[in-house]
PDB file of all heavy atoms in Angstrom:
ATOM      1  N   ARG E  42      16.020  24.300  11.745  1.00 94.00           N
ATOM      2  CA  ARG E  42      14.873  25.093  11.153  1.00 94.00           C
ATOM      3  C   ARG E  42      14.925  25.091   9.647  1.00 94.00           C
ATOM      4  O   ARG E  42      13.855  25.013   8.957  1.00 94.00           O
ATOM      5  CB  ARG E  42      14.858  26.531  11.684  1.00 94.00           C
ATOM      6  CG  ARG E  42      14.239  26.561  13.040  1.00 94.00           C
ATOM      7  CD  ARG E  42      13.822  28.031  13.452  1.00 94.00           C
ATOM      8  NE  ARG E  42      12.849  28.660  12.701  1.00 94.00           N
ATOM      9  CZ  ARG E  42      11.519  28.480  12.853  1.00 94.00           C
ATOM     10  NH1 ARG E  42      11.066  27.610  13.788  1.00 94.00           N
ATOM     11  NH2 ARG E  42      10.616  29.084  12.094  1.00 94.00           N
ATOM     12  N   ARG E  95       3.090  30.628   9.917  1.00 94.00           N
ATOM     13  CA  ARG E  95       3.421  30.674  11.288  1.00 94.00           C
ATOM     14  C   ARG E  95       4.860  30.244  11.527  1.00 94.00           C
ATOM     15  O   ARG E  95       5.620  30.861  12.311  1.00 94.00           O
ATOM     16  CB  ARG E  95       2.424  29.946  12.193  1.00 94.00           C
ATOM     17  CG  ARG E  95       1.124  30.611  12.268  1.00 94.00           C
ATOM     18  CD  ARG E  95      -0.021  29.804  12.893  1.00 94.00           C
ATOM     19  NE  ARG E  95       0.395  29.101  14.102  1.00 94.00           N
ATOM     20  CZ  ARG E  95      -0.321  28.085  14.668  1.00 94.00           C
ATOM     21  NH1 ARG E  95      -1.455  27.605  14.046  1.00 94.00           N
ATOM     22  NH2 ARG E  95       0.121  27.517  15.684  1.00 94.00           N
ATOM     23  N   PHE E  96       5.221  29.100  10.895  1.00 94.00           N
ATOM     24  CA  PHE E  96       6.614  28.644  10.974  1.00 94.00           C
ATOM     25  C   PHE E  96       7.615  29.649  10.523  1.00 94.00           C
ATOM     26  O   PHE E  96       8.599  29.954  11.089  1.00 94.00           O
ATOM     27  CB  PHE E  96       6.755  27.310  10.211  1.00 94.00           C
ATOM     28  CG  PHE E  96       8.145  26.863  10.159  1.00 94.00           C
ATOM     29  CD1 PHE E  96       8.724  26.148  11.130  1.00 94.00           C
ATOM     30  CD2 PHE E  96       8.948  27.116   8.985  1.00 94.00           C
ATOM     31  CE1 PHE E  96      10.063  25.726  11.058  1.00 94.00           C
ATOM     32  CE2 PHE E  96      10.298  26.734   8.865  1.00 94.00           C
ATOM     33  CZ  PHE E  96      10.854  26.030   9.966  1.00 94.00           C
ATOM     34  N   GLU E  97       7.225  30.263   9.339  1.00 94.00           N
ATOM     35  CA  GLU E  97       8.155  31.295   8.693  1.00 94.00           C
ATOM     36  C   GLU E  97       8.245  32.532   9.584  1.00 94.00           C
ATOM     37  O   GLU E  97       9.271  33.252   9.514  1.00 94.00           O
ATOM     38  CB  GLU E  97       7.685  31.620   7.331  1.00 94.00           C
ATOM     39  CG  GLU E  97       7.972  30.483   6.297  1.00 94.00           C
ATOM     40  CD  GLU E  97       7.361  30.660   4.943  1.00 94.00           C
ATOM     41  OE1 GLU E  97       6.548  31.622   4.745  1.00 94.00           O
ATOM     42  OE2 GLU E  97       7.750  29.913   4.047  1.00 94.00           O
ATOM     43  N   ALA E  98       7.258  32.765  10.392  1.00 96.00           N
ATOM     44  CA  ALA E  98       7.302  33.889  11.299  1.00 96.00           C
ATOM     45  C   ALA E  98       8.024  33.519  12.630  1.00 96.00           C
ATOM     46  O   ALA E  98       8.120  34.414  13.493  1.00 96.00           O
ATOM     47  CB  ALA E  98       5.876  34.361  11.609  1.00 96.00           C
ATOM     48  N   GLY E  99       8.558  32.322  12.721  1.00 95.00           N
ATOM     49  CA  GLY E  99       9.367  31.952  13.839  1.00 95.00           C
ATOM     50  C   GLY E  99       8.707  31.097  14.881  1.00 95.00           C
ATOM     51  O   GLY E  99       9.285  30.668  15.858  1.00 95.00           O
ATOM     52  N   GLU E 100       7.452  30.816  14.700  1.00 94.00           N
ATOM     53  CA  GLU E 100       6.715  29.963  15.661  1.00 94.00           C
ATOM     54  C   GLU E 100       7.104  28.478  15.520  1.00 94.00           C
ATOM     55  O   GLU E 100       7.408  28.007  14.471  1.00 94.00           O
ATOM     56  CB  GLU E 100       5.205  30.119  15.375  1.00 94.00           C
ATOM     57  CG  GLU E 100       4.359  29.543  16.489  1.00 94.00           C
ATOM     58  CD  GLU E 100       2.837  29.868  16.255  1.00 94.00           C
ATOM     59  OE1 GLU E 100       2.523  30.896  15.596  1.00 94.00           O
ATOM     60  OE2 GLU E 100       2.062  29.034  16.594  1.00 94.00           O
ATOM     61  N   ASN E 101       7.088  27.771  16.635  1.00 90.00           N
ATOM     62  CA  ASN E 101       7.335  26.390  16.647  1.00 90.00           C
ATOM     63  C   ASN E 101       6.047  25.650  16.361  1.00 90.00           C
ATOM     64  O   ASN E 101       5.217  25.505  17.274  1.00 90.00           O
ATOM     65  CB  ASN E 101       7.983  25.938  18.008  1.00 90.00           C
ATOM     66  CG  ASN E 101       8.253  24.434  17.978  1.00 90.00           C
ATOM     67  OD1 ASN E 101       8.107  23.730  17.036  1.00 90.00           O
ATOM     68  ND2 ASN E 101       8.714  24.027  19.089  1.00 90.00           N
TER      69      ASN E 101
END
Side-chain angles (χ1 to χ4, degrees):
R42 277 195 69 79
R95 288 170 44 198
F96 172 81
E97 289 173 347
E100 191 174 331
N101 181 3

